[in-house]
Amino acid sequence: MQPELDKVESFLLKIEQNEETVFSQHPDYVLYPVVPFFQLVHIHNIEQVIENLLRFESTLGGFLIRVDGYITLACPESSVLEDDLRRLTIQLLEVMRF
């Protein structure tokens, strides 16, 4: 029996699976860098930050992936409203504790 993954491991696995999906099935999606990936290493409240990152997917209808060192939202251009993207980014930055 496999051990249960914690939230961080589940998040990283989800990102990896999203990358396969985006690059194979949705190469025309627009990429919106959200936050440098390396910053997640220094976060004290990582589980809360992961919850906020996942809101990008549920709210904007895309996939979180890693691109050029950033956690990046990949989604159809038509599904992104600038105000929503800005609001989610500000909420994420307000929650982060280093």
Side-chain angles (χ1 to χ4, degrees), residues 42-80:
H42 303 288
I43 300 294
H44 293 289
N45 59 335
I46 189 67
E47 290 184 4
Q48 189 177 9
V49 169
I50 287 172
E51 288 175 20
N52 277 345
L53 281 168
L54 292 173
R55 284 191 194 134
F56 281 82
E57 286 186 341
S58 60
T59 302
L60 301 173
F63 298 92
L64 288 174
I65 60 174
R66 284 173 297 170
V67 176
D68 294 332
Y70 280 82
I71 296 290
T72 301
L73 179 70
C75 61
E77 189 172 7
S78 61
S79 75
V80 173

Side-chain angles (χ1 to χ4, degrees), residues 12-25 63-67 70:
L12 294 173
L13 180 61
K14 180 177 177 60
I15 285 178
E16 190 175 311
Q17 292 168 343
N18 285 351
E19 290 168 3
E20 292 176 21
T21 301
V22 168
F23 295 127
S24 66
Q25 298 175 19
F63 298 92
L64 288 174
I65 60 174
R66 284 173 297 170
V67 176
Y70 280 82

